[in-house]
Amino acid sequence: MNAPAALYQSALTSLKLRARGKVRDIYDIDDQHMLIVTTDRLSAFDVILPDPIPGKGRVLTQISNFWFAKMRDVIPNHLVDIPLEQIIPDPAERAQVEGRSIVVKKLKPLPVEAIVRGYLIGSGWKDYQKTGAVCGITLPEGLQQAQQLPEPIYTPSTKAEVGDHDENVSFAKTVELIGEDLANQVREASLKLYKEAAAYAKERGIIIADTKFEFGVDADGTLYLIDEILTPDSSRFWPADQYRVGISPPSFDKQYVRDYLETLDWNKTAPGPSLPAEVAGYCAAKYKEAEVRLTR
């Protein structure tokens, strides 16, 4: 059987399009529910690239659904158990989004991205080299690139519009934005989710260096996990057998694409450059490998 074609943009006619994000297309179902379709779009440096990564949306959906189920005892999530057939009765239209869509509760998203870092890499490493701290959290002296931190740290950021960069903020700023009670709940849930997931993934040969969670609240103020969770798009996954302190390890996420883009004469603004087939193919294979290792 041939693999389904890559989906760059969904086009459902039976539902009203609510929004298109960098990767997800969101449709209204009714007052309480939405359909989230994960496309094969890839964004890098906050720019949506012109070429899809075949199968990526399906992989992200399967990984997210796996973690949502696994972490249900830590915090409730936005998934609703309504079959896709009920939402999109037409088989031809449904085929376009099958395996890559979820039915979710409509919740009020919090204006905070909850980032947990377990290792010193990326912008955190750059920050530490300059200041000895990451997002204002002072760390021990003498740490090396990619070194595991003594304890995972919570470094929230504010959520940017498509095309803008998220901005790191202090915990105090999140208290200002969402109130002390919610800010504490978000921090505690994020650290617990990360620690449980990191321990599980490590048994399967994957180090979760850092990750990002998003949360929403219902009308009663109950906190829910929303969006995606612990995927190669929202996290930095490293193969444990190739991990070494002092270098940036190879990864299961889009770092390979970022590294390729860094070799180009491109100013990191839209439009993004096209990806060679071998770069897109390698990226797709890495995403798939992460799914297989984590969920089977």
Side-chain angles (χ1 to χ4, degrees), residues 181-199:
D181 182 41
L182 264 183
N184 280 321
Q185 281 186 61
V186 165
R187 176 167 64 181
E188 279 164 33
S190 300
L191 287 165
K192 192 168 187 333
L193 288 164
Y194 172 78
K195 286 174 186 172
E196 287 198 15

Side-chain angles (χ1 to χ4, degrees), residues 6-9 21-24 38-54 56-57 60 100 228 231-234 252-261 266 271-276 279-284 287:
L7 181 73
Y8 190 78
Q9 186 170 293
K22 289 174 190 161
V23 174
R24 286 168 181 76
T38 306
T39 71
D40 295 330
R41 294 194 291 270
L42 182 74
S43 79
F45 307 110
D46 293 311
V47 174
I48 299 167
L49 300 180
D51 305 292
I53 302 295
K56 170 178 173 277
L60 294 183
R100 59 166 76 245
E228 63 179 328
T231 72
D233 263 16
S234 67
F252 290 104
D253 53 41
K254 55 187 171 183
Q255 192 57 47
Y256 178 78
V257 173
R258 284 196 206 101
D259 292 345
Y260 164 75
L261 294 171
W266 174 51
S274 275
L275 295 178
V279 173
Y282 182 85
C283 182
Y287 273 70

Side-chain angles (χ1 to χ4, degrees), residues 65-279:
N65 288 350
F66 166 80
W67 288 117
F68 278 135
K70 192 167 181 57
M71 298 298 176
R72 214 179 272 137
D73 58 331
V74 177
I75 182 171
N77 63 64
H78 65 166
L79 291 185
V80 180
D81 194 14
I82 298 174
L84 192 60
E85 292 78 15
Q86 203 174 309
I87 306 301
I88 308 173
D90 175 15
E93 183 162 63
R94 195 168 63 240
Q96 182 192 144
V97 299
E98 215 136 27
R100 59 166 76 245
S101 55
I102 51 174
V103 181
V104 302
K105 282 185 179 75
K106 274 188 183 167
L107 299 163
K108 183 185 175 193
L110 298 180
V112 169
E113 302 224 311
I115 295 162
V116 181
R117 301 169 191 264
Y119 292 74
L120 194 54
I121 198 72
S123 63
W125 168 239
K126 286 178 186 156
D127 202 357
Y128 175 77
Q129 286 175 291
K130 283 187 205 137
T131 65
V134 174
C135 302
I137 298 169
T138 305
L139 295 174
E141 285 178 26
L143 296 179
Q144 295 182 65
Q145 184 181 25
Q147 189 161 347
Q148 185 170 14
L149 299 173
E151 264 299 299
I153 58 173
Y154 172 66
T155 59
S157 73
T158 53
K159 205 163 159 41
E161 296 297 312
V162 173
D164 288 338
H165 296 278
D166 299 338
E167 187 188 339
N168 293 331
V169 293
S170 65
F171 178 70
K173 177 71 179 170
T174 70
V175 171
E176 238 175 80
L177 288 169
I178 61 176
E180 190 165 7
D181 182 41
L182 264 183
N184 280 321
Q185 281 186 61
V186 165
R187 176 167 64 181
E188 279 164 33
S190 300
L191 287 165
K192 192 168 187 333
L193 288 164
Y194 172 78
K195 286 174 186 172
E196 287 198 15
Y200 170 88
K202 209 160 186 182
E203 290 170 5
R204 280 149 185 81
I206 290 179
I207 290 169
I208 304 177
D210 50 40
T211 194
K212 174 190 80 175
F213 301 110
E214 295 195 39
F215 295 89
V217 288
D218 65 12
D220 300 327
T222 303
L223 190 67
Y224 287 82
L225 198 50
I226 64 168
D227 196 56
E228 63 179 328
I229 168 179
L230 295 155
T231 72
D233 263 16
S234 67
S235 320
R236 211 181 298 254
F237 289 167
W238 295 334
D241 58 356
Q242 294 175 61
Y243 168 70
R244 288 208 313 280
V245 171
I247 61 158
S248 179
S251 64
F252 290 104
D253 53 41
K254 55 187 171 183
Q255 192 57 47
Y256 178 78
V257 173
R258 284 196 206 101
D259 292 345
Y260 164 75
L261 294 171
E262 290 278 22
T263 68
L264 304 180
D265 183 17
W266 174 51
N267 63 2
K268 294 178 187 164
T269 58
S274 275
L275 295 178
E278 63 271 19
V279 173

